[in-house]
């Protein structure tokens, strides 16, 4: 993953403490379709959008698709540690990182972009400001529908009354405050003047001790002392305020406010009940929609034409065993129809495939795999030709005329590894001819209908080659490829009365020029085609013709599919396809050798 910081918007709109957006780009594997599977794509995370390109070099040609993160849902896969899925409504992207660490980095980057760009995020709230007013909130709410104005006019009237009461109350408080301030000034001035008069009186008594004041100038207290009376001063403007009236008005205003508040609360409670009923109805509608959506999704899951990676083969596949079998069988039927149509329309191009003399195939090679080839040849000659009549482990699964197919059930770590053995007798062809056409890569595509691509990786000798081939995909099974060494040998008989044996053995090897890829599952094989020619004496002095020859074929196959698939499906497919393969191939050999000299 590569990252690049970028900021947008003016400085006034962006919080300096908020994190800046970080553009992210890198390679992710994206599930394209069930034919091409996972493909590497250049993925870019920018401006709240996830886009992908075919490659980094083709960005200038525009993206091939994009998702808006504000509406996207991210789901790490439950079993695949490198995979995560992104969905917007019914559009789903299946993505895989190269390792779990990169997957975590991508998910965190996407979540960060989604959070910073979301409308309800903390950054967004800071950007839009935190000052809210009752007026703006009420206007925003009422603007949602025209009916809000009609239903809320009484509440607005009460709010207007509250505004009027507030103005009146403020004026009354100001008036009362002025009155109290004036009273405080009068009291302060009266005390100051009284203090001065008392000081003057004391000074006069000291100067004129015999001078006395008239009773009219003094006030006798209850304790017999005399106190000077001063007329109370009237502060300016104080006599113009009716304190009792202002107090009554103040009381009436506060009572009006309390009454209006009670009305507002009552109206708001009524509106709350109304809105609650509407919310309940909406929640009920939403629940019905969600139930319908879940039901539709479940129905779609039942259909086997889903092409997502979750519906591929594997122990966690969403397709059950019965649906898996039905899908495979339907795909094989379609392939058979296509092959029949192509076979009836195409004209075979004659291929000049020179056949070396038999002695060239009877010698052991000198290439680096020569010893391994010889070991496989000897094992097949020892075990593959044994009679299966006394072995209870071999089960006869198919018998059609001269052809019999046997199977021995073997499983390892949940993977079916059943060895198969088929015996057949074909008139009019020799063992040399059968093995030659089975081994010759020049005619392989003429009779092998399950192969999609085929090429010779290395030629080891005249009778040994390394071959890489990919087989046609049968959905929902993953596509398979095979890398194997193919060698043809002639085994000379040690008894002059026994026929010579021709053998082709194919077994898996490794090669630097054909490494496994994510696109296909690498299967392992060990296959042998063993043939012997039986000749019946012609009548009289007639020459031996194809009517006098019979080829006994023993075909042995040990295949490791390389991945998990239902055991019942694998066994059913093997039971169906092996007899068809033998019939198709032997018919091809008879067609190619008809009218040609016999090749012993």
């Amino acid at each position: 993953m590569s990252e690049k910081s970028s900021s947008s918007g003016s400085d006034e709109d962006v919080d300096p403490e908020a994190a800046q957006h970080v553009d992210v780009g890198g390679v992710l594997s994206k599930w394209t379709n069930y034919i091409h599977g996972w493909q590497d794509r250049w993925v870019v995370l920018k401006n709240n959008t996830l886009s992908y390109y075919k490659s980094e070099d083709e960005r200038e040609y525009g993206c091939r698709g994009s998702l808006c993160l504000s509406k996207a849902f991210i789901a790490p896969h439950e079993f695949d540690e490198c995979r995560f899925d992104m969905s917007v409504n019914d559009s789903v992207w299946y993505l895989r990182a190269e390792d779990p660490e990169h997957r975590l980095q991508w998910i965190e980057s996407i979540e960060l972009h989604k959070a910073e760009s979301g409308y309800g995020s903390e950054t967004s709230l800071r950007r839009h400001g935190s000052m809210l007013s009752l007026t703006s909130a009420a206007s925003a709410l009422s603007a949602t529908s025209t009916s809000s104005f009609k239903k809320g006019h009484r509440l607005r009237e009460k709010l207007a009354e509250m505004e009027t009461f507030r103005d009146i109350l403020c004026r009354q408080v100001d008036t009362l405050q002025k009155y109290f301030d004036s009273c405080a000034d009068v009291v302060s001035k009266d005390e100051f003047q009284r203090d001065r008069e008392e000081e003057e009186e004391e000074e006069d008594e000291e100067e004129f001790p015999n001078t006395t004041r008239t009773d009219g100038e003094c006030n006798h207290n209850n304790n017999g002392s005399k106190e000077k009376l001063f007329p109370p001063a009237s502060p300016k403007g104080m006599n113009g305020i009716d304190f009792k009236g202002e107090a009554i008005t103040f009381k009436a205003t506060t009572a009006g406010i309390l009454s209006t508040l009670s009305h507002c609360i009552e109206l708001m409670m009524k509106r709350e009940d109304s809105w609650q009923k509407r919310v309940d109805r909406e929640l009920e509608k939403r629940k019905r929609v969600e139930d319908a959506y879940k039901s539709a999704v479940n129905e779609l899951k039942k259909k086997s034409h889903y092409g997502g990676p979750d519906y591929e083969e594997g122990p966690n596949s969403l397709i059950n065993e019965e649906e898996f079998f039905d899908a495979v069988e339907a795909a094989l039927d379609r392939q058979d129809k296509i092959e029949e149509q192509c076979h009836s329309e195409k004209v075979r191009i004659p291929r000049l495939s020179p056949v070396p003399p038999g002695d060239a195939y009877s010698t052991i090679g000198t290439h680096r795999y020569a010893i391994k080839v010889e070991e496989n040849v000897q094992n097949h000659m020892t075990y593959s030709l044994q009679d299966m009549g006394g072995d209870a482990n071999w089960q006869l699964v198919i018998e059609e005329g001269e052809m019999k197919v046997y199977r021995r059930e073997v499983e390892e770590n949940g993977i079916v590894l059943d060895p198969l053995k088929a015996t057949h007798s074909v008139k009019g062809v020799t063992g040399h001819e059968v093995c030659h056409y089975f081994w010759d890569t020049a005619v392989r595509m003429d009779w092998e209908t399950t192969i999609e691509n085929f090429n010779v990786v290395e030629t080891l000798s005249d009778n040994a080659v390394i071959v890489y081939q990919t087989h046609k995909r049968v959905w929902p099974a993953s596509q398979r490829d095979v890398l194997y060494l193919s060698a043809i040998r002639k085994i000379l008989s040690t008894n002059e009365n026994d026929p010579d044996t021709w053998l082709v053995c194919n077994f898996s090897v490794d090669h630097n020029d054909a490494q496994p890829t994510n696109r296909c599952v690498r299967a392992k094989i060990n296959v042998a085609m063993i043939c012997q020619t039986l000749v019946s004496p012609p009548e009289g002095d007639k020459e031996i013709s194809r009517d006098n020859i019979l080829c006994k074929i023993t075909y042995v196959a040990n295949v490791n599919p390389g991945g998990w698939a239902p055991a019942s499906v694998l066994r059913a497919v093997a039971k169906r396809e092996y007899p068809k393969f033998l019939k198709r191939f032997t018919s091809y050999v008879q067609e190619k050798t008809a009218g040609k000299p016999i090749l012993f």
Side-chain angles (χ1 to χ4, degrees):
M1 291 174 62
S2 60
E3 298 182 354
K4 181 179 179 182
S5 298
S6 65
S7 60
S8 61
S10 63
D11 295 339
E12 297 176 357
D13 296 332
V14 180
D15 187 350
E17 296 181 358
Q20 292 182 330
H21 286 288
V22 178
D23 298 341
V24 180
V27 176
L28 289 174
S29 295
K30 182 179 181 296
W31 177 265
T32 54
N33 51 55
Y34 74 89
I35 296 177
H36 298 97
W38 296 99
Q39 298 290 334
D40 288 343
R41 294 291 183 259
W42 181 260
V43 182
V44 176
L45 179 59
K46 183 178 181 181
N47 296 334
N48 194 32
T49 302
L50 188 69
S51 308
Y52 79 92
Y53 306 80
K54 186 175 182 181
S55 64
E56 184 178 6
D57 298 333
E58 296 189 11
R59 286 181 296 172
E60 58 184 10
Y61 300 119
C63 69
R64 295 199 165 196
S66 61
L67 288 178
C68 179
L69 296 183
S70 60
K71 299 180 180 179
F73 176 73
I74 309 171
H77 197 263
E78 184 179 1
F79 306 105
D80 192 341
E81 295 181 350
C82 298
R83 175 181 152 193
F84 63 98
D85 303 340
M86 294 196 61
S87 58
V88 176
N89 297 329
D90 57 349
S91 176
V92 182
W93 286 11
Y94 306 102
L95 303 172
R96 291 187 86 254
E98 58 182 350
D99 52 50
E101 182 179 353
H102 280 80
R103 181 186 79 163
L104 180 61
Q105 293 177 4
W106 273 102
I107 292 176
E108 289 179 348
S109 299
I110 292 172
E111 292 286 5
L112 180 62
H113 271 249
K114 185 177 179 182
E116 290 183 352
S117 302
Y119 180 79
S121 65
E122 182 182 354
T123 306
S124 176
L125 290 176
R126 286 200 299 266
R127 189 177 297 117
H128 289 87
S130 60
M131 294 298 293
L132 297 174
S133 67
L134 178 62
T135 305
S136 61
S139 62
L141 180 62
S142 61
T144 57
S145 66
T146 56
S147 61
S148 299
F149 291 100
K150 298 178 181 179
K151 292 183 178 180
H153 69 281
R154 291 190 60 194
L155 183 60
R156 286 196 302 275
E157 289 176 359
K158 293 298 180 181
L159 290 174
E161 290 179 10
M162 293 287 292
E163 292 286 340
T164 304
F165 281 130
R166 186 197 66 178
D167 294 340
I168 296 173
L169 193 60
C170 288
R171 288 196 297 269
Q172 291 175 344
V173 169
D174 291 339
T175 303
L176 291 173
Q177 187 63 46
K178 290 178 183 179
Y179 178 80
F180 295 142
D181 291 341
S182 299
C183 290
D185 291 340
V186 168
V187 171
S188 177
K189 290 179 181 179
D190 185 50
E191 290 180 352
F192 178 73
Q193 187 175 358
R194 182 177 300 173
D195 291 339
R196 286 186 60 186
E197 292 295 336
E198 288 179 353
E199 291 176 359
E200 291 177 359
E201 183 180 354
E202 291 175 359
E203 290 176 358
D204 290 343
E205 288 180 354
E206 291 177 359
E207 255 182 69
F208 308 101
N210 296 325
T211 303
T212 60
R213 295 184 183 273
T214 62
D215 294 341
E217 294 175 346
C218 298
N219 183 33
H220 295 271
N221 293 331
N222 295 331
N223 55 7
S225 63
K226 296 181 180 179
E227 186 177 275
K228 179 72 176 181
L229 290 177
F230 299 96
S234 298
K236 183 179 180 180
M238 187 172 173
N239 294 332
I241 298 176
D242 184 4
F243 181 77
K244 185 176 181 180
E246 290 293 337
I248 294 174
T249 305
F250 182 82
K251 183 178 180 180
T253 304
T254 53
I257 291 175
L258 293 175
S259 176
T260 305
L261 281 174
S262 299
H263 283 291
C264 290
I265 293 173
E266 183 180 356
L267 290 174
M268 293 172 69
M269 290 179 65
K270 290 181 179 179
R271 294 198 65 188
E272 182 182 6
D273 293 340
S274 175
W275 280 107
Q276 185 62 45
K277 292 179 181 178
R278 295 184 63 180
V279 169
D280 293 340
R281 288 196 297 269
E282 291 298 324
L283 288 175
E284 187 178 353
K285 290 181 182 178
R286 178 178 178 178
K287 187 177 183 303
R288 288 199 299 267
V289 172
E290 289 178 348
D291 292 341
Y293 173 76
K294 290 179 181 178
S295 176
V297 170
N298 291 332
E299 288 296 326
L300 288 174
K301 285 182 178 180
K302 294 179 181 178
K303 297 181 180 180
S304 60
H305 65 262
Y306 254 48
D310 292 324
Y311 293 83
E312 283 191 301
E313 68 172 74
N316 302 312
S317 176
L318 296 182
I319 296 182
N320 59 42
E321 192 166 321
E322 182 178 354
E323 293 172 340
F324 197 105
F325 178 79
D326 292 341
V328 169
E329 190 173 44
L332 291 175
D333 288 339
R334 288 193 297 269
Q335 288 187 6
D336 290 344
K337 290 181 180 179
I338 295 173
E339 177 59 27
E340 290 176 2
Q341 184 178 2
C342 294
H343 182 76
S344 61
E345 294 178 356
K346 71 181 180 181
V347 177
R348 296 194 183 276
I349 301 175
R351 301 177 186 271
L352 299 177
S353 179
V355 181
D359 294 338
Y361 295 137
S362 60
T363 58
I364 300 175
T366 58
H367 50 83
R368 62 182 184 277
Y369 289 102
I371 297 177
K372 194 170 184 178
V373 170
E374 189 63 22
E375 290 177 354
N376 274 274
V377 169
Q378 294 303 323
N379 287 335
H380 285 300
M381 291 297 297
T382 302
Y383 300 107
S384 299
L385 292 179
Q386 290 180 351
D387 187 11
M388 292 161 292
D391 192 344
N393 292 326
W394 288 98
Q395 303 174 10
L396 179 63
V397 291
I398 291 178
E399 184 174 7
E400 295 181 7
E402 295 292 332
M403 182 174 58
K404 297 179 181 180
V405 179
Y406 299 86
R407 179 180 67 207
R408 184 158 53 89
E409 294 187 358
V410 176
E411 289 190 23
E412 184 175 326
N413 296 327
I415 299 177
V416 176
L417 305 175
D418 294 353
L420 287 171
K421 182 183 289 188
T423 60
H424 196 22
S425 298
V426 182
K427 291 184 179 180
V429 295
T430 66
H432 187 181
E433 292 168 337
V434 172
C435 286
H436 167 72
Y437 286 111
F438 184 73
W439 176 82
D440 189 5
T441 57
V443 297
R444 179 68 55 84
M445 299 299 289
D446 288 348
W447 59 267
E448 180 59 276
T449 61
T450 64
I451 294 177
E452 182 177 88
N453 295 310
F454 173 89
N455 67 285
V456 177
V457 178
E458 183 180 354
T459 301
L460 300 174
S461 64
D462 291 339
N463 65 339
V465 293
I466 295 179
V467 177
Y468 172 77
Q469 65 189 32
T470 58
H471 290 265
K472 295 177 182 177
R473 174 128 188 240
V474 180
W475 190 87
S478 300
Q479 189 171 20
R480 258 64 178 183
D481 63 358
V482 185
L483 179 67
Y484 61 93
L485 187 151
S486 181
I488 181 172
R489 287 288 306 278
K490 177 183 179 182
I491 311 299
L492 299 176
S493 174
T494 56
N495 187 342
E496 61 180 8
N497 294 324
D498 293 335
D500 295 335
T501 302
W502 283 87
L503 180 145
V504 176
C505 62
N506 299 337
F507 58 91
S508 293
V509 294
D510 296 324
H511 200 282
N512 292 332
D513 294 339
Q515 296 290 339
T517 64
N518 292 331
R519 184 170 177 267
C520 297
V521 174
R522 180 64 57 89
K524 302 292 184 179
I525 65 169
N526 192 334
V527 175
M529 176 76 75
I530 307 171
C531 301
Q532 293 177 328
T533 305
L534 302 179
V535 181
S536 59
E539 296 180 358
D541 296 333
K542 294 182 180 179
E543 295 184 355
I544 296 177
S545 66
R546 292 195 175 274
D547 294 333
N548 303 116
I549 59 177
L550 176 71
C551 180
K552 292 183 63 177
I553 299 174
T554 300
Y555 180 77
V556 180
N558 294 272
V559 179
N560 183 338
W564 183 92
S568 61
V569 176
L570 290 176
R571 287 170 178 147
V573 170
K575 183 178 178 180
R576 163 181 167 153
E577 293 300 311
Y578 274 104
K580 289 170 57 178
F581 150 72
L582 278 177
K583 289 180 180 179
R584 182 173 63 247
F585 171 67
T586 53
S587 297
Y588 171 79
V589 176
Q590 288 176 322
E591 179 183 344
K592 292 289 289 185
T593 57
K596 293 182 180 180
I598 301 174
L599 183 65
F600 287 99

